[in-house]
């Protein structure tokens, strides 16, 4: 490309885009995924890129050489041009993190208070750049003054995105209230058997029929729980649920898991071979309040997962148990 061609390409780039032109959501989503921008930042960066008369466009010859590889990585020509700019490279270097770090952040659950510029679920979703949130449930609470307030669940990656959004769009005097969720995670899919102890639910052999409803469901009560370790002690449940509670334990086993230790506690982890047999006890949990107390006791080091509970040779029930989040060990 000679100088005149370069100048012509730059002139075309400067005139090709009108600032009030709508940018497709698919383009914004691409820039979010590739560069880690929030939705608002991605849109602004696209407009800046298209309106920059000094940007150096990639030549046809250059693009023909790298096109297949770049498109395989999710780029189109425009996003590739942006990736070649210094600002995009600097951002990517600052935001680099290992897959292990990303897994830990995605596994971490936080509660963000709905207030200020983040006073609604939609505002939080927009700030975090969440296109498909797993839930829009609002959690009601009461502050120390007795006033009602609301929280919304986010993960560690969402938290980073929201903090970056607030730096870019500061709100005078506002600091978000974000606390670590102390409860064991419970997020049972209504359309798949995810999460289930010991199996990769993305594999086709574990996909349910179209007319099947995975059990137990998220808010199904009463529900069978398989316990191991401390929770197999009936006196402990009395302290947890109150002296009026009468626990009816059943000797039980499950497959798909294996017991290890985390400090002085037992921790149940996956056994993909499905050959190991874990001995414990099954209890029918009657209410969400009882379950919440169990989740608070287990803490966010564990998550609630589906499992098949065997009570004797002729009784099998779909139930739940607490699986240790192994990333915490790393």
């Amino acid at each position: 490309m000679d100088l005149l061609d370069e100048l012509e390409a730059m002139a075309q780039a400067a005139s090709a885009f009108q600032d009030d032109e709508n940018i497709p959501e698919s383009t914004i989503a691409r820039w979010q995924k590739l560069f880690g921008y929030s939705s608002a930042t991605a849109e602004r960066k696209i407009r800046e890129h298209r309106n920059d008369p000094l940007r150096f466009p990639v030549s046809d010859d250059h693009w023909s050489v790298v096109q297949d590889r770049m498109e395989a990585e999710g780029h189109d020509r425009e996003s590739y041009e942006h990736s070649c700019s210094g600002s995009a490279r600097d951002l990517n270097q600052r935001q680099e993190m290992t897959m292990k770090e990303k897994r830990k952040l995605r596994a971490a659950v936080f509660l963000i208070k709905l207030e200020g510029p983040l006073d609604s679920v939609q505002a939080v979703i927009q700030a975090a750049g969440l296109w498909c949130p797993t839930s829009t449930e609002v959690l009601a609470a009461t502050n120390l003054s007795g006033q009602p307030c609301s929280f919304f669940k986010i993960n560690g990656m969402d938290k980073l995105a929201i903090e970056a959004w607030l730096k870019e769009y500061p709100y005078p005097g506002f600091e978000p209230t974000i606390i670590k969720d102390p409860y064991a995670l419970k997020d049972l899919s209504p359309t798949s058997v995810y999460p289930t102890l010991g199996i990769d639910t993305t594999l086709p052999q574990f996909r349910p029929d179209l007319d099947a409803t995975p059990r137990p469901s998220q808010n199904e009560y009463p529900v069978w729980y398989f316990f191991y370790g401390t929770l197999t002690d009936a006196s402990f449940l009395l302290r947890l649920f109150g002296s009026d509670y009468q626990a009816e334990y059943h000797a039980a086993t499950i497959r798909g898991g294996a017991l290890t230790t985390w400090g002085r506690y037992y921790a149940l982890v996956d056994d993909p071979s499905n050959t190991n047999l874990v001995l414990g006890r099954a209890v029918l949990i009657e209410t969400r309040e009882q379950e919440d107390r169990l989740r608070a006791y287990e803490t966010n080091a564990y998550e609630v997962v589906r499992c098949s509970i065997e009570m004797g040779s002729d009784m099998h029930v779909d139930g739940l148990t607490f699986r240790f989040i192994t990333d915490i060990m790393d």
Side-chain angles (χ1 to χ4, degrees):
M1 179 183 282
D2 61 27
L3 180 59
L4 290 177
D5 289 336
E6 291 177 11
L7 292 174
E8 176 64 21
M10 291 169 67
Q12 290 176 357
S15 61
F17 179 71
Q18 299 297 321
D19 194 52
D20 59 353
E21 181 180 331
N22 289 330
I23 300 174
E25 287 192 358
S26 59
T27 302
I28 295 173
R30 175 184 290 115
W31 284 50
Q32 284 185 265
K33 182 177 180 180
L34 291 170
F35 305 116
Y37 296 141
S38 68
S39 176
T41 301
E43 183 173 355
R44 180 171 61 79
K45 291 287 187 180
I46 293 168
R47 293 186 186 279
E48 289 176 353
H49 176 81
R50 293 179 178 181
N51 285 319
D52 183 4
L54 299 179
R55 68 179 171 89
F56 188 81
V58 171
S59 69
D60 291 340
D61 289 341
H62 182 152
W63 180 240
S64 67
V65 172
V66 302
Q67 181 176 2
D68 289 344
R69 180 164 58 88
M70 289 300 104
E71 288 182 346
E73 294 178 7
H75 282 285
D76 60 8
R77 185 166 176 167
E78 182 179 52
S79 65
Y80 173 65
E81 286 180 349
H82 181 66
S83 73
C84 295
S85 69
S87 61
R89 287 197 301 270
D90 292 343
L91 178 69
N92 285 337
Q93 289 171 359
R94 290 197 304 270
Q95 291 188 340
E96 278 183 0
M97 61 177 68
T98 65
M99 290 302 296
K100 181 188 294 185
E101 290 170 331
K102 289 182 179 180
R103 286 199 308 270
K104 284 186 176 182
L105 286 170
R106 291 193 181 102
V109 181
F110 295 86
L111 301 176
I112 183 168
K113 188 177 181 182
L114 300 181
E115 59 182 346
L118 303 172
D119 61 354
S120 68
V121 170
Q122 188 57 42
V124 173
I125 288 174
Q126 182 176 355
L130 298 174
W131 288 100
C132 297
T134 57
S135 171
T136 56
E137 180 185 7
V138 174
L139 306 176
T142 304
N143 63 21
L144 295 177
S145 302
Q147 299 298 313
C149 55
S150 301
F151 288 83
F152 179 60
K153 280 188 180 182
I154 58 174
N155 65 34
M157 294 293 286
D158 302 333
K159 178 175 178 288
L160 290 181
I162 290 169
E163 290 169 345
W165 183 83
L166 286 170
K167 286 182 180 178
E168 188 156 5
Y169 302 98
Y171 192 86
F174 176 74
E175 284 290 335
T177 301
I178 302 177
I179 59 175
K180 192 75 179 287
D181 186 357
Y183 286 75
L185 176 66
K186 184 187 181 188
D187 187 14
L188 307 181
S189 171
T191 58
S192 76
V193 294
Y194 175 85
T196 296
L197 183 69
I199 68 171
D200 180 353
T201 57
T202 63
L203 296 177
Q205 62 265 37
F206 298 123
R207 293 173 187 165
D209 296 332
L210 292 177
D211 58 348
T213 301
R215 299 277 311 281
S217 60
Q218 177 74 8
N219 296 308
E220 180 178 338
Y221 304 100
V223 60
W224 285 100
Y225 262 84
F226 175 84
F227 292 151
Y228 54 90
T230 308
L231 290 177
T232 60
D233 183 349
S235 64
F236 183 83
L237 282 192
L238 286 177
R239 295 197 300 272
L240 201 62
F241 294 160
S243 57
D244 293 337
Y245 177 74
Q246 295 183 347
E248 186 175 344
Y249 279 104
H250 301 264
T253 58
I254 58 171
R255 296 182 186 274
L259 286 180
T260 182
T261 55
W262 181 49
R264 60 190 181 92
Y265 296 103
Y266 281 114
L268 182 68
V269 296
D270 283 334
D271 170 36
S273 71
N274 206 42
T275 58
N276 190 57
L277 199 63
V278 180
L279 305 179
R281 291 183 168 187
V283 174
L284 191 64
I285 299 303
E286 299 285 350
T287 66
R288 179 170 180 171
E289 181 183 2
Q290 290 178 351
E291 183 185 63
D292 285 346
R293 293 189 182 191
L294 290 170
R295 291 173 56 213
Y297 167 73
E298 290 289 355
T299 77
N300 52 28
Y302 294 80
E303 60 182 333
V304 177
V305 297
R306 294 179 170 116
C307 64
S308 178
I309 304 174
E310 303 174 20
M311 291 179 279
S313 59
D314 58 351
M315 186 175 179
H316 294 234
V317 296
D318 295 323
L320 303 171
T321 191
F322 290 99
R323 179 173 64 188
F324 185 69
I325 299 175
T326 53
D327 283 338
I328 291 177
M329 284 183 168
D330 297 336

Coordinates of all heavy atoms in Angstrom, one line a residue, residues 3 72 79 154 228:
L3 N 1.6 5.6 -0.2 CA 1.1 6.7 0.6 C -0.3 7.2 0.2 O -1.1 7.4 1.0 CB 2.1 7.8 0.6 CG 1.8 9.0 1.4 CD1 1.6 8.7 2.9 CD2 2.8 10.1 1.3
A72 N -11.0 -17.3 13.5 CA -11.1 -18.4 14.4 C -11.0 -18.0 15.9 O -11.6 -18.7 16.8 CB -10.0 -19.4 14.1
S79 N -12.3 -5.4 14.6 CA -11.8 -5.7 15.9 C -10.3 -6.0 15.9 O -9.6 -5.7 16.8 CB -12.6 -6.8 16.6 OG -12.4 -8.0 15.9
I154 N -23.8 -11.7 42.3 CA -22.8 -11.6 41.2 C -21.6 -12.5 41.5 O -21.5 -13.0 42.6 CB -22.3 -10.1 40.9 CG1 -21.6 -9.6 42.2 CG2 -23.5 -9.2 40.5 CD1 -21.0 -8.3 42.0
Y228 N -22.7 -36.3 55.1 CA -21.4 -37.1 55.5 C -20.7 -36.2 56.5 O -21.0 -35.0 56.6 CB -20.5 -37.3 54.2 CG -20.2 -36.0 53.5 CD1 -19.1 -35.2 53.8 CD2 -21.1 -35.6 52.5 CE1 -18.8 -34.1 53.2 CE2 -20.8 -34.4 51.8 CZ -19.7 -33.6 52.2 OH -19.4 -32.4 51.5

